[in-house]
């Protein structure tokens, strides 16, 4: 059964005001039963949903700017890699594959709650969605400075990548990747997270909105290296996060004053 492109087990009425959000939950719950999504991935999604409310559940201009800069980095990179975890594989596998093919970039599965069986499930899930080659089955390298299994990666992929896109990341690995001198592009609805603060570029947007938007931007920026370089050199992640938080505050204020009317 499919709900708005998101396969799920319970039919959500299309006219339900929270159709997309409920379909996503069903999808994640279903894939948690299959072991693709970890149980704590459901908690992480709930936190993301809460922050998305505070953004008005839409892509704000600050996120669009960060998406453009992130795409510029991906196009400038020698070895760009998209890191995929259980939640990302569940929410937007086809969209990740399309972005990876368009750039082109490698896809590597890297999990926080890692077991060989789960890695295999997530990779199979990506392959089932049409991915050609997915790295991560046979990690041969360790990221320095991380004590969790998230350190395990492939030399061909994340270990030697110059630019890594990390949707829904945990702070430890984001910091470790930056410490290795890599450009880290985060997608995280929480502008206050350690990941958001550590990343080179933080996209405060919902992953299923951000990835397709970025794929369109690849075509816009592919033939304009001058614009890419200008976007990269003028971008200040801290300032963008500051403006994002300001945006959230103003949005909350506006909702509060609506109640008083
Ligand atoms: O599949 P695994 O084992 O690698 O585990 C994946 C999770 C997500 C459980 C793991 O990476 C984790 O615990 O992440 P955190 O530390 O909870 O961080 C996830 C961040 O992503 C939080 O700041 C959320 O606000 C944010 N987030 C959640 N859902 C979305 C999101 N950001 C963008 N789009 C979302 N749909």
């Amino acid at each position: 059964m499919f709900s708005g492109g998101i396969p799920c087990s319970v039919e959500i009425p299309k006219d339900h005001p929270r159709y997309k959000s409920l379909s996503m939950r069903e999808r994640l719950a279903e894939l948690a039963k299959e072991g693709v999504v970890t149980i704590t991935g459901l908690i992480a999604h709930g936190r993301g949903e809460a922050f998305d409310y505070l953004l008005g559940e839409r892509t704000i201009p600050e996120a669009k700017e960060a998406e453009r800069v992130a795409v510029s980095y991906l196009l400038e990179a020698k070895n760009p890699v998209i890191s995929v975890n259980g939640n990302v594989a569940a929410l937007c596998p086809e969209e990740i594959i399309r972005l990876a093919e368009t750039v082109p970039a490698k896809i590597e599965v890297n999990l926080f709650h890692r077991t060989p069986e789960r890695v295999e499930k997530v990779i199979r899930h990506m392959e089932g969605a049409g991915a050609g080659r997915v790295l991560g089955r046979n990690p041969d390298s360790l990221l320095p400075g991380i004590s969790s299994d998230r350190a395990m990666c492939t030399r061909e992929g994340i270990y030697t990548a110059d630019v890594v896109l990390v949707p829904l990341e945990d702070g430890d690995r984001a910091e470790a990747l930056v410490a290795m001198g890599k450009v880290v592009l985060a997608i995280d609805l929480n502008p206050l997270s350690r990941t958001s603060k550590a990343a080179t570029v933080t996209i405060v947007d919902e992953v299923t909105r951000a990835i397709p938007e970025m794929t369109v931007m690849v075509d816009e920026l592919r033939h304009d290296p001058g614009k890419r370089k200008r976007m990269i050199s003028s971008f200040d992640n801290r300032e963008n996060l500051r403006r994002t938080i300001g945006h959230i505050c103003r949005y909350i204020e506006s909702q509060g004053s609506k109640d008083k009317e």
Side-chain angles (χ1 to χ4, degrees):
M1 186 179 301
F2 283 77
S3 285
I6 301 173
C8 67
S9 60
V10 172
E11 189 149 22
I12 311 290
K14 285 221 164 65
D15 58 354
H16 193 291
R18 307 227 30 90
Y19 173 72
K20 188 183 173 203
S21 166
L22 293 179
S23 307
M24 274 199 224
R25 285 186 181 182
E26 287 298 325
R27 175 81 176 133
L28 286 165
E30 197 57 33
L31 285 164
K33 280 187 216 146
E34 291 178 23
V36 171
V37 173
T38 172
I39 294 297
T40 60
L42 303 180
I43 299 170
H45 185 75
R47 177 157 60 184
E49 277 188 345
F51 276 103
D52 207 17
Y53 254 80
L54 303 180
L55 292 165
E57 294 177 298
R58 64 191 196 285
T59 302
I60 64 172
E62 290 77 10
K64 268 228 162 139
E65 185 187 340
E67 282 159 7
R68 242 184 220 106
V69 177
V71 167
S72 299
Y73 271 116
L74 286 172
L75 287 168
E76 291 289 313
K78 287 194 180 67
N79 185 19
V81 176
I82 304 176
S83 180
V84 168
N85 63 22
N87 284 43
V88 174
L91 287 173
C92 50
E94 286 94 357
E95 291 81 354
I96 290 281
I97 294 164
R98 209 164 303 132
L99 176 63
E101 286 173 354
T102 312
V103 171
K106 293 170 187 162
I107 296 176
E108 178 162 339
V109 166
N110 177 279
L111 303 179
F112 183 71
H113 303 89
R114 184 189 180 101
T115 61
E117 295 74 31
R118 197 163 159 249
V119 171
E120 187 57 36
K121 278 184 187 172
V122 178
I123 292 180
R124 288 235 172 127
H125 184 75
M126 293 300 296
E127 289 170 345
R133 190 150 173 267
V134 182
L135 300 171
R137 263 192 187 102
N138 303 304
D140 54 9
S141 300
L142 283 179
L143 299 175
I146 309 182
S147 44
S148 74
D149 286 346
R150 269 221 132 155
M152 293 162 81
C153 63
T154 69
R155 174 163 291 276
E156 182 190 347
I158 289 171
Y159 194 80
T160 57
D162 50 349
V163 176
V164 192
L165 175 64
V166 290
L168 280 71
E169 182 66 16
D170 67 84
D172 283 358
R173 194 173 67 131
E175 285 169 359
L177 292 169
V178 169
M180 285 176 85
K182 299 179 191 302
V183 167
V184 175
L185 314 171
I187 302 177
D188 190 334
L189 280 161
N190 177 3
L192 307 170
S193 72
R194 268 195 308 143
T195 299
S196 290
K197 288 177 182 159
T200 319
V201 180
T202 307
I203 298 162
V204 182
D205 198 7
E206 207 283 317
V207 68
T208 67
R209 292 197 300 268
I211 297 289
E213 190 75 53
M214 289 169 72
T215 307
V216 172
M217 289 172 181
V218 172
D219 287 331
E220 281 171 30
L221 288 162
R222 187 187 302 287
H223 302 295
D224 199 340
K227 187 169 179 188
R228 295 202 296 264
K229 290 195 172 75
R230 279 195 302 279
M231 298 229 47
I232 288 172
S233 65
S234 63
F235 184 74
D236 179 338
N237 200 48
R238 281 174 69 154
E239 173 58 18
N240 195 268
L241 284 173
R242 201 187 58 75
R243 282 194 280 127
T244 300
I245 293 164
H247 196 106
I248 290 174
C249 293
R250 286 194 301 280
Y251 181 71
I252 295 172
E253 281 283 327
S254 74
Q255 296 302 301
S257 50
K258 260 189 200 159
D259 286 348
K260 283 181 214 137
E261 281 164 15

